[in-house]
Amino acid sequence: MRLLICETLTFQEFFGSQIPKYAILSHTWGEEEVLFQDFGDMETAKGKKGWSKIEKSCEVALKEGYHFMWIDTCCINKESSTELTEAINSMFQWYQYADTCYAYIADHDTSTPGSSLAKSRWFTRGWTLQELIAPSVVKFFDCNWKEFGTRDKMRTELSSITLIGTDVLKSSKRRSIAVLLDTIPVARRMAWAAARQTTRIEDIAYCLLGIFQVTMPLVYGEGERAFIRLQEEIIKKSNDLTLFAWTATKTTITSGPSNGHVLPIMDRGILATSPREFAEASKIRHTSDLRGNPGYSVSNRGLRIKKEFHQIHEDRLFMGLLCRGESRSGELGITLQHVGHGNYARTHPERLERAPSTSSSGAKPSAQSIFINLTRQVDFSLRHMDPTHLSPSFYIGNNLRSISGTKHVDFGPKDCWDESKNLFLTYEQSTFVGYYRFGNREKYKYPTQIAIVFGFSDLEEPWVCIATNATNHSVYNATKEGDFEKMASLGAPAAKANYTSVTLKLTRSGNSKESVRLNVSLDRYISDGLPICVLDVRHEAFSTSMGSCVIM
């Protein structure tokens, strides 16, 4: 461990039991930080903006009787990947074993009325989470290096800001923070980091290593894969099922006929992609002793687990997570969809479910051994791309479903249709074409058949057109014949020619006449990191007898 000598501002290395008492700095990085290499030219180092932070923290340490200081900006040689890996894997312990920690809040001024501690950038950064939790003593300093409180005295306010329990924030020289953290559900610990950010994608995983008492190699450039590896390491150490109590972020449609409705989310694996997905888990509680939880492990087929499951559908299971929310209204869990060959995926990842009642369903849970996919079946390299460059799926909007009904609908390709989500899944195809055809529904009494055809290709952006057996009938006939090649060759040019609306003649009871125009729309969204095209229609009814227009 490399420490800074406070009197001389030079370095000295220590190992094991030789490490002396030291103070440690917690701060947020800013412009012109002083790095380890800068100490080779002290004139350059002292000219940087970050020098005053080093100088002031050492002054405070000396006043309190400490001769050594550790600061992450300059005490690590970041040009050495070996040293950087050792430092990041050891950092929680270094903060834990420090005699005291100085938390420097650079954007908070206690002498300025209205300066809000809660709005400080320090509470938004990933690395400062362990720096708040690990030390036995934390003292807070404002931008003028004026001490304004300790973690122990401020723990109620800090708990309100961070959602971390006051028991974790209580200071004690004799406390074992590692033992205390192991009693707190994994999901709740993840929730502490849900609103925090790091400059590099991988660091949102690496900054949590100490919170979960695990270590792992650093692989900068792996992106979101780092957070998956973190969860795999947690699985090796803990059988806490709350690791799976996350919820994917919902996307709301903001325009068109389906405005205000929530887009569906594709089936996922059992693991989360980011701490953000634990944002709703801050109140999670265990319902049983972890020693009674089932064991599970990661294999090359996914997560292998044997436990009791509720069979809620022929190909769907409810998996209880042995936890509850703030209320005591039943065990929380997730729904798993069979995807073939004994493997399952998580369906409806945007919500946690309540355990089904055995009295109402009549079916008791039974023990099964299954495999659950770890992640969604999308290559991680694609997650680094602009999502708009990925192949979109097609969602049938609420208004279109309302107008078409369900009894008189034909669609294709059927092997791409997910009925539970009203979604055509394109599975990263480079070319896709589909159709959605409907006709007479009692409420509207259309005298004609209507087909909406849509698709995309390497050369064509997503497109949509509308056809009937009387208008644009070649495209319509292709849907009747199931000729997808013809749909593509005729549909894309029709879309370019603005075949996006049709006018239909109606005769209602009493011989009142009405003209109806259907306008089809295609709007693009990103849902859970993947593109979705929303297909919907606006319905304009013109009553000849009344001379009125109703838009639905």
Side-chain angles (χ1 to χ4, degrees):
M1 183 180 192
R2 183 182 293 111
L3 293 173
L4 190 63
I5 303 172
C6 295
E7 291 92 343
T8 62
L9 296 181
T10 55
F11 295 113
Q12 186 172 347
E13 290 196 42
F14 299 91
F15 301 92
S17 59
Q18 297 177 344
I19 297 174
K21 290 183 178 181
Y22 62 93
I24 201 164
L25 179 67
S26 173
H27 67 112
T28 55
W29 281 49
E31 295 181 0
E32 298 185 10
E33 293 289 355
V34 180
L35 307 180
F36 172 71
Q37 284 72 23
D38 294 327
F39 276 74
D41 181 353
M42 291 303 289
E43 185 176 346
T44 300
K46 291 179 180 180
K48 286 191 166 186
K49 293 179 181 178
W51 179 256
S52 64
K53 197 165 17 181
I54 294 174
E55 206 167 40
K56 288 289 186 182
S57 59
C58 286
E59 286 179 10
V60 173
L62 284 170
K63 286 179 182 178
E64 296 194 345
Y66 299 105
H67 298 283
F68 296 95
M69 188 80 197
W70 191 88
I71 304 172
D72 61 349
T73 52
C74 61
C75 289
I76 305 171
N77 178 7
K78 297 176 181 63
E79 291 184 356
S80 167
S81 59
T82 301
E83 183 173 330
L84 181 61
T85 297
E86 180 185 359
I88 288 179
N89 278 283
S90 305
M91 202 171 293
F92 187 91
Q93 291 182 342
W94 290 350
Y95 276 90
Q96 180 183 358
Y97 297 144
D99 256 41
T100 188
C101 174
Y102 305 139
Y104 174 60
I105 314 300
D107 52 2
H108 182 55
D109 187 349
T110 55
S111 64
T112 301
S115 182
S116 173
L117 178 63
K119 293 180 180 179
S120 169
R121 183 169 173 262
W122 191 83
F123 292 105
T124 70
R125 307 308 294 169
W127 292 105
T128 55
L129 175 61
Q130 66 178 1
E131 295 165 14
L132 172 64
I133 291 173
S136 57
V137 176
V138 180
K139 298 178 180 181
F140 288 89
F141 295 81
D142 71 0
C143 61
N144 299 309
W145 282 93
K146 178 183 178 182
E147 184 178 346
F148 62 91
T150 65
R151 185 185 62 197
D152 192 43
K153 292 180 179 178
M154 297 168 58
R155 64 180 184 270
T156 301
E157 180 183 6
L158 293 172
S159 178
S160 175
I161 296 171
T162 63
L163 304 181
I164 301 170
T166 54
D167 55 333
V168 178
L169 300 174
K170 186 176 181 179
S171 296
S172 170
K173 287 287 186 182
R174 294 186 299 276
R175 75 176 189 153
S176 173
I177 185 62
V179 173
L180 178 59
L181 288 175
D182 276 343
T183 67
I184 297 169
V186 166
R188 193 156 18 129
R189 281 180 272 168
M190 286 288 189
W192 298 342
R196 292 176 180 259
Q197 300 173 333
T198 54
T199 302
R200 303 195 66 165
I201 296 174
E202 298 85 357
D203 281 341
I204 199 61
Y206 302 158
C207 73
L208 297 176
L209 294 176
I211 300 294
F212 295 101
Q213 302 293 299
V214 297
T215 60
M216 66 186 201
L218 310 189
V219 187
Y220 283 107
E222 66 177 331
E224 289 183 355
R225 176 64 190 159
F227 189 68
I228 299 299
R229 286 201 298 124
L230 171 65
Q231 293 169 90
E232 291 173 346
E233 291 300 323
I234 294 171
I235 288 171
K236 293 177 185 177
K237 177 180 181 290
S238 171
N239 64 343
D240 185 347
L241 290 168
T242 70
L243 175 62
F244 313 127
W246 52 267
T247 50
T249 304
K250 302 173 186 176
T251 299
T252 301
I253 299 173
T254 57
S255 63
S258 294
N259 183 32
H261 290 274
V262 175
L263 281 171
I265 294 178
M266 310 290 192
D267 288 354
R268 291 269 299 270
I270 192 71
L271 301 181
T273 59
S274 161
R276 291 190 303 273
E277 297 189 319
F278 290 89
E280 299 179 11
S282 63
K283 303 294 185 182
I284 288 288
R285 302 284 190 276
H286 291 132
T287 57
S288 61
D289 190 319
L290 291 183
R291 290 173 293 184
N293 280 16
Y296 45 85
S297 59
V298 173
S299 75
N300 56 10
R301 283 187 58 183
L303 185 84
R304 182 171 187 171
I305 182 169
K306 182 178 182 180
K307 72 180 297 291
E308 289 192 336
F309 297 90
H310 290 264
Q311 191 85 38
I312 56 177
H313 191 269
E314 181 182 359
D315 57 357
R316 203 170 299 154
L317 301 174
F318 170 83
M319 173 175 160
L321 301 180
L322 300 177
C323 66
R324 59 176 176 82
E326 191 171 15
S327 67
R328 296 180 178 271
S329 56
E331 181 187 12
L332 295 175
I334 58 178
T335 304
L336 303 174
Q337 175 72 44
H338 187 244
V339 292
H341 307 290
N343 270 60
Y344 286 78
R346 181 173 171 186
T347 192
H348 295 295
E350 71 278 6
R351 63 179 185 247
L352 296 177
E353 312 278 2
R354 297 286 178 189
S357 169
T358 54
S359 60
S360 60
S361 65
K364 292 183 178 180
S366 59
Q368 298 184 50
S369 179
I370 66 171
F371 291 94
I372 308 172
N373 294 342
L374 293 179
T375 63
R376 181 163 49 203
Q377 302 305 297
V378 175
D379 189 340
F380 271 95
S381 63
L382 296 177
R383 304 282 295 185
H384 294 288
M385 294 175 59
D386 180 346
T388 59
H389 294 162
L390 302 177
S391 301
S393 295
F394 291 89
Y395 174 67
I396 303 302
N398 297 67
N399 214 35
L400 176 52
R401 296 201 309 275
S402 174
I403 288 175
S404 64
T406 56
K407 294 183 180 179
H408 308 285
V409 172
D410 186 27
F411 54 83
K414 290 181 171 55
D415 59 349
C416 293
W417 175 247
D418 185 331
E419 185 175 358
S420 69
K421 297 181 177 64
N422 300 302
L423 203 64
F424 284 94
L425 303 170
T426 60
Y427 300 107
E428 295 308 311
Q429 298 178 39
S430 59
T431 300
F432 178 84
V433 64
Y435 70 92
Y436 188 84
R437 192 174 67 246
F438 56 96
N440 295 328
R441 186 184 179 201
E442 185 177 352
K443 180 179 178 182
Y444 296 100
K445 299 185 182 298
Y446 292 133
T448 186
Q449 294 280 317
I450 303 158
I452 292 174
V453 182
F454 46 91
F456 62 81
S457 70
D458 285 335
L459 302 176
E460 300 280 356
E461 288 291 303
W463 52 266
V464 64
C465 69
I466 193 167
T468 73
N469 53 351
T471 305
N472 200 14
H473 56 84
S474 296
V475 175
Y476 173 82
N477 289 339
T479 69
K480 293 283 286 186
E481 297 162 5
D483 190 334
F484 290 96
E485 186 174 338
K486 187 182 289 185
M487 284 182 235
S489 64
L490 297 176
K496 288 182 179 178
N498 289 322
Y499 278 88
T500 55
S501 67
V502 292
T503 302
L504 311 170
K505 303 291 184 181
L506 304 183
T507 301
R508 292 197 181 277
S509 58
N511 292 322
S512 63
K513 296 186 181 295
E514 196 175 73
S515 292
V516 174
R517 174 172 292 164
L518 292 182
N519 299 292
V520 66
S521 62
L522 182 153
D523 294 300
R524 303 180 72 170
Y525 289 86
I526 302 297
S527 177
D528 195 33
L530 296 178
I532 290 182
C533 289
V534 176
L535 301 174
D536 218 335
V537 293
R538 185 174 294 275
H539 170 243
E540 300 173 298
F542 297 87
S543 174
T544 305
S545 58
M546 300 297 292
S548 62
C549 170
V550 179
I551 300 177
M552 304 171 64

